Amino acid sequence: EGMPQTLGSTSMFTPCGFSPHLHTSKEDEQGGLIFQDGNLTSASLDALIQHLIPTTDYYPEKAYIFTFLLSSRLFIEPHELLSQVCHKCIEQQRLDDPVLDKARIRKFGPKILQLLTEWTETFPYDFQEERMIGHLKDMIHRIAPCDEAYWKKMNQLLQTLNQKLATLSHGQEGIVKISAAVSDKLVAFKSKPPSLQREILSVCSDPYTLAQQLTHVELERLSHIGPEEFVQAFVHKDPLDGTKTCFSEQKKTSNLEAYVKWFNRLCYLVATEICMPAKKKQRAQVIEFFIDVARECFNIGNFNSLMAIISGMNMSPVSRLKKTWSKVKTAKFFILEHQMDPTGNFYNYRTALRGAAHRSLTAHSNREKIVIPFFSLLIKDIYFLNEGCANRLPNGHVNFEKFLELAKQVGEFITWKQVECPFEQDPNIIHYLHTAPIFTEDGLYLASYESESPENQTEKDRWKSLR
């Protein structure tokens, strides 16, 4: 597991410059593509674009299409890529000729439509741009005279795309509204709120139900993240094009960021709920409740909520409540903590994740298909993969080996985020999870000191400065 087995850039250079004896095994070159043991390892950007383009008797492999569309945005903007693809198709299939070769185009037509369909299905956000839709329509106008059915296919494709984009932007608006509502509430609670504040147990006292509703929120938010956001998060300048980055204005990672914010909110919500009650017995009860919720999240395969709950319990305003914790049956908590222990690069968690992923592959029901990874670790893995090897080789070729590994990680995530949530939704609980007021860090410390007074000078000083 862990890092892909490519050589770091340092080992590639010997004192006498670039070492030509890197790959001992056989390399084959076909049309500018370098293969090693049958796998595509590197190529020029032009050769990779050419490899994407269908002909009358060739169609690229599904895995290649996903990998290239995912990673190409580090070198070329999607609208520019689509423009080149269409341009090359027009040349190769002679779509500019006054009289079209209908028999030939009927062989080519379904293939280009298939490619465009796969692109719109997997990377719908690329098509929020007018230019992209323009290229799509232009392509159709050229091939449609040869077969009426192409119009219908194209209309279907555009309709599906519009629905998808509408759903996604509707979901995004909802998330934005919620975030705005929440940030106002943060300020209000610098000290313990009045007791009329509802608390989690009055909204949902059953840990199973809460774990299921958390899973709803997670899957809903995951569904908005486009695979390209993982790559766009790491867009640097392309060394071969010193003038501009590919995405100078915006990085288009808003759904990814919103999801990380949700994780943080859940941590703080857990800590707030524990620090709020005035009585030790009630605080202990809330801790035990969340331990059960976390255990159920683990069983469901919702590792992101599980990690947020554990992180919330491990925040110092919570962990310092020694008298409260002495009332808690902690055995179950230690088991969960052990599962999420960061030692050995989260060895235990990764083992559990592989188990869940395996179960998901052989699943008969949606319930068994659920895999919600601990998200910040997924991003960290992708980050290290990205930093660990160069996008281009010294000869200017695209390091395709790296992108296959990237596509493997992102592709698995795409499968997981498409699972339909099998649990019934409880709008009341979900609303509470998104809008219940939470303490700031200072607010948590204040509440914690009021619950169990400071033990040492550092804590006393902190309490004093907070008040």
Side-chain angles (χ1 to χ4, degrees):
E1 285 304 296
M3 289 304 297
Q5 298 306 303
T6 46
L7 290 152
S9 50
T10 44
S11 58
M12 283 183 160
F13 293 95
T14 52
C16 60
F18 184 66
S19 146
H21 310 296
L22 241 186
H23 292 296
T24 44
S25 56
K26 192 160 99 339
E27 286 193 356
D28 311 301
E29 181 164 359
Q30 304 164 15
L33 304 170
I34 308 293
F35 289 87
Q36 195 187 333
D37 305 331
N39 298 316
L40 176 55
T41 53
S42 73
S44 67
L45 186 57
D46 281 343
L48 291 170
I49 294 173
Q50 188 58 59
H51 195 54
L52 180 70
I53 293 171
T55 63
T56 49
D57 48 11
Y58 162 76
Y59 189 76
E61 286 175 23
K62 211 175 170 68
Y64 176 76
I65 296 173
F66 177 68
T67 304
F68 184 59
L69 289 180
L70 178 70
S71 53
S72 61
R73 58 201 69 243
L74 290 168
F75 309 99
I76 179 172
E77 288 191 51
H79 73 88
E80 178 56 28
L81 175 62
L82 184 55
S83 162
Q84 286 199 32
V85 167
C86 292
H87 188 72
K88 289 188 175 179
C89 287
I90 291 165
E91 272 180 11
Q92 288 163 21
Q93 303 304 324
R94 298 203 281 281
L95 296 176
D96 268 343
D97 288 5
V99 179
L100 295 175
D101 177 347
K102 288 195 172 181
R104 176 182 176 146
I105 290 172
R106 280 200 192 104
K107 277 188 188 164
F108 165 74
K111 295 196 169 108
I112 186 69
L113 279 169
Q114 175 62 29
L115 180 69
L116 296 172
T117 304
E118 282 188 47
W119 194 335
T120 54
E121 280 174 356
T122 319
F123 299 94
Y125 288 122
D126 285 354
F127 293 85
Q128 281 172 317
E129 258 202 85
E130 275 306 308
R131 287 181 283 192
M132 294 290 282
I133 302 288
H135 294 313
L136 279 185
K137 290 183 172 166
D138 176 58
M139 197 68 218
I140 272 307
H141 280 290
R142 290 171 185 278
I143 63 172
C146 299
D147 194 330
E148 277 297 294
Y150 295 163
W151 287 118
K152 228 168 108 178
K153 277 289 292 242
M154 191 58 172
N155 277 329
Q156 258 175 332
L157 182 152
L158 287 171
Q159 249 177 326
T160 314
L161 178 63
N162 280 332
Q163 278 167 345
K164 202 160 191 177
L165 286 173
T167 315
L168 290 169
S169 73
H170 178 69
Q172 275 176 310
E173 279 160 27
I175 286 175
V176 170
K177 272 198 200 103
I178 285 170
S179 306
V182 169
S183 55
D184 304 340
K185 293 223 170 93
L186 263 175
V187 195
F189 288 99
K190 274 284 193 307
S191 63
K192 268 204 171 179
S195 56
L196 82 179
Q197 153 81 15
R198 289 164 75 200
E199 84 265 292
I200 189 77
L201 288 171
S202 68
V203 180
C204 174
S205 56
D206 175 42
Y208 288 88
T209 308
L210 189 61
Q212 293 178 355
Q213 298 311 305
L214 284 168
T215 305
H216 253 293
V217 175
E218 297 279 352
L219 285 170
E220 157 70 20
R221 286 180 166 247
L222 279 185
S223 70
H224 299 296
I225 298 173
E228 70 283 357
E229 293 192 41
F230 289 101
V231 175
Q232 279 157 356
F234 307 124
V235 169
H236 298 305
K237 271 194 160 53
D238 183 0
L240 287 195
D241 178 10
T243 53
K244 59 177 178 35
T245 57
C246 295
F247 290 88
S248 35
E249 302 77 62
Q250 57 194 134
K251 280 195 172 170
K252 298 183 180 150
T253 53
S254 52
N255 300 299
L256 202 125
E257 287 158 27
Y259 189 51
V260 173
K261 279 192 184 131
W262 149 251
F263 178 90
N264 293 336
R265 171 173 170 79
L266 184 52
C267 294
Y268 274 84
L269 181 65
V270 168
T272 301
E273 295 285 347
I274 294 170
C275 291
M276 223 168 21
K279 295 195 169 66
K280 179 167 64 192
K281 190 177 156 192
Q282 285 170 308
R283 290 194 298 274
Q285 192 189 354
V286 177
I287 292 179
E288 292 195 333
F289 172 71
F290 275 120
I291 293 172
D292 289 337
V293 175
R295 197 164 66 158
E296 189 49 28
C297 286
F298 180 84
N299 294 337
I300 289 172
N302 176 357
F303 297 106
N304 202 51
S305 293
L306 162 65
M307 198 57 169
I309 294 171
I310 291 176
S311 307
M313 291 178 163
N314 280 329
M315 284 173 85
S316 30
V318 177
S319 59
R320 66 168 291 280
L321 298 171
K322 307 236 176 13
K323 295 175 186 140
T324 305
W325 280 95
S326 70
K327 296 246 170 288
V328 174
K329 303 185 192 72
T330 45
K332 286 191 286 192
F333 182 59
F334 292 139
I335 293 170
L336 288 173
E337 264 203 317
H338 177 67
Q339 283 297 346
M340 292 316 227
D341 181 10
T343 339
N345 191 9
F346 287 91
Y347 179 80
N348 298 344
Y349 158 70
R350 290 179 192 279
T351 309
L353 180 70
R354 276 202 299 279
H358 185 74
R359 172 188 73 185
S360 176
L361 283 175
T362 56
H364 297 296
S365 68
N366 272 352
R367 163 125 207 188
E368 295 169 330
K369 276 190 195 148
I370 298 173
V371 184
I372 301 169
F374 169 30
F375 196 64
S376 356
L377 188 61
L378 177 69
I379 291 181
K380 200 169 114 186
D381 285 347
I382 290 174
Y383 176 78
F384 280 120
L385 165 62
N386 188 62
E387 291 295 304
C389 22
N391 290 339
R392 289 189 190 263
L393 301 175
N395 65 359
H397 272 193
V398 171
N399 181 1
F400 202 73
E401 220 171 342
K402 164 180 175 172
F403 295 120
L404 281 167
E405 183 60 34
L406 184 70
K408 199 173 90 186
Q409 295 193 14
V410 176
E412 199 170 24
F413 167 79
I414 297 304
T415 317
W416 296 336
K417 83 176 186 113
Q418 286 165 343
V419 176
E420 288 281 318
C421 192
F423 310 118
E424 203 177 324
Q425 204 169 355
D426 183 324
N428 198 12
I429 298 174
I430 288 182
H431 181 73
Y432 184 85
L433 289 171
H434 279 130
T435 59
I438 50 177
F439 286 131
T440 55
E441 194 174 349
D442 286 351
L444 280 174
Y445 273 108
L446 260 175
S448 178
Y449 295 144
E450 283 174 33
S451 298
E452 295 185 18
S453 46
E455 300 236 309
N456 53 40
Q457 202 48 52
T458 322
E459 290 194 345
K460 282 177 186 154
D461 294 343
R462 176 147 201 181
W463 196 19
K464 206 162 142 187
S465 74
L466 284 174
R467 282 185 302 178

